[in-house]
Amino acid sequence: VQLQASGGGSVQAGGSLRLSCAASGVIYSVENFGWYRQAPGKQRELVATITRSGTINYADFVKDRFAINRGNAKNLGYLQMNSLKSEDTAIYYCRAYIQHSKYDGGDYWGQGTLVTVSS
């Protein structure tokens, strides 16, 4: 199984970006999608998560600005980022718990996509 994150780029403060995460390989179901970020010199931190049933959790610093959702296809997840700030500059990683079968699964990370916000 592989996770491919995309959609990063450079924007000015106040702008928007939409990140995508696509899982490929042997997939029975994707239980949870999550987005994390790591800024230079800082630890990786949670941004948002969404379960298969649609339960969502956001970090306080992105509430009302970011929105996580899942695509119609079971292997897709998205992060819509609005009102971006310079402090949102980081590498954004997607993460997913993927069931390969009814009885077997694993936790996977994507390779990261860079988001740069200039003020």
Side-chain angles (χ1 to χ4, degrees):
V1 171
Q2 287 189 328
L3 287 181
Q4 181 72 38
S6 61
S10 296
V11 296
Q12 290 191 328
S16 298
L17 283 173
R18 188 189 193 209
L19 305 183
S20 300
C21 181
S24 60
V26 178
I27 300 171
Y28 176 77
S29 66
V30 179
E31 296 303 306
N32 302 305
F33 266 110
W35 289 95
Y36 295 73
R37 71 185 188 185
Q38 187 166 17
K42 295 188 177 181
Q43 290 188 332
R44 192 173 297 188
E45 60 185 355
L46 181 145
V47 176
T49 60
I50 183 169
T51 66
R52 188 157 64 106
S53 62
T55 299
I56 293 173
N57 178 49
Y58 292 108
D60 287 342
F61 55 78
V62 301
K63 281 182 179 177
D64 300 325
R65 298 191 299 125
F66 292 8
I68 188 172
N69 69 295
R70 302 181 64 135
N72 291 330
K74 64 181 179 182
N75 66 319
L76 297 175
Y78 302 97
L79 183 69
Q80 177 67 42
M81 304 188 295
N82 301 321
S83 302
L84 283 161
K85 306 175 182 179
S86 57
E87 52 263 43
D88 294 319
T89 295
I91 299 174
Y92 284 71
Y93 298 89
C94 65
R95 180 184 186 184
Y97 189 89
I98 296 172
Q99 292 286 137
H100 308 303
S101 69
K102 191 174 181 180
Y103 306 104
D104 178 44
D107 188 36
Y108 296 89
W109 288 86
Q111 84 290 1
T113 184
L114 177 62
V115 172
T116 303
V117 184
S118 57
S119 56

